[in-house]
Amino acid sequence: MAFKIPESVLVVVYTARLDVLLLERAAQPGFWQSVTGSREPDDPDLRATAERELLEETGLTQGTLSDWRLTNRYEIWPQWRARYAPGVTHNTEHVFGFLVDSATVATLDPAEHTAQLWLPWREAMAKVFSPTNRDAIWQLQRRVAWH
C-alpha cells in the first residue's frame, strides 16, 4: 500500500440559501463532515482532487466549484498517521466550495459514509467535528455576500 499524500481538500457543498450538505463517517458514527479527501498521485491539481472526491463521496456533478484559496495546516490524528510516510505528522488542507441549485440527495459510498443531511449553515457548523470544517462553513455567509 502506498502512503497517503499529506495534502487534502475540504469541499463545502451548499445552496444559495446557505444550506450545507453533511456526511456521517462510516468508520466514526456521529462524526459529520463536508466532503474531504487526500490528493492522489494521478490528480493533476487540487481542483481535480476536489472534483474526484465530490464524485466519489456524493455523485454530485452539477454545480459550481470554487477554490476559496484557503489552506489549513493541522496535526494528523495519531491513529491515522500509519497511513502516511514515517515522520509525517501534519496535513495541508485546501478549501473549496460547491454551490448547487437545491438540496440534492447524494449517492453515498457506504464504505465511507452512512448518512447525509442538509442543514442551515449555523446548524451545520455546530454539527461537524472538525474545527477547519466549522471555520469553512462559518465563512459561507461572508463569501456569498461578496458575490
Side-chain angles (χ1 to χ4, degrees):
M1 178 182 110
F3 291 119
K4 288 179 71 164
I5 297 170
E7 189 171 35
S8 65
V9 296
L10 168 67
V11 184
V12 177
V13 180
Y14 66 99
T15 67
R17 290 180 37 158
L18 302 185
D19 291 327
V20 177
L21 174 65
L22 295 183
L23 309 172
E24 185 178 32
R25 293 180 63 97
Q28 288 92 18
F31 280 48
W32 291 87
Q33 66 182 95
S34 293
V35 171
T36 63
S38 293
R39 186 170 186 176
E40 297 286 339
D42 293 340
D43 293 342
D45 55 31
L46 290 163
R47 182 177 194 84
T49 302
E51 290 169 345
R52 179 180 50 74
E53 290 294 341
L54 270 167
L55 185 60
E56 288 175 3
E57 295 189 11
T58 68
L60 298 176
T61 58
Q62 299 299 307
T64 304
L65 182 66
S66 57
D67 183 346
W68 288 4
R69 304 206 183 289
L70 171 66
T71 58
N72 300 301
R73 183 170 158 76
Y74 60 84
E75 188 172 356
I76 300 164
W77 288 7
Q79 65 265 34
W80 293 338
R81 285 194 192 153
R83 299 175 181 177
Y84 299 87
V88 173
T89 59
H90 287 75
N91 183 67
T92 302
E93 174 184 77
H94 303 268
V95 182
F96 288 78
F98 190 66
L99 174 62
V100 295
D101 289 338
S102 62
T104 307
V105 175
T107 303
L108 302 182
D109 174 353
E112 287 199 52
H113 300 103
T114 56
Q116 63 186 294
L117 56 96
W118 285 89
L119 292 174
W121 72 272
R122 283 184 178 93
E123 291 176 41
M125 199 173 82
K127 193 158 187 74
V128 296
F129 75 95
S130 161
T132 62
N133 200 167
R134 193 172 310 119
D135 291 346
I137 293 169
W138 179 83
Q139 287 200 29
L140 264 181
Q141 30 96 30
R142 291 181 31 219
R143 290 185 175 276
V144 170
W146 293 341
H147 292 101

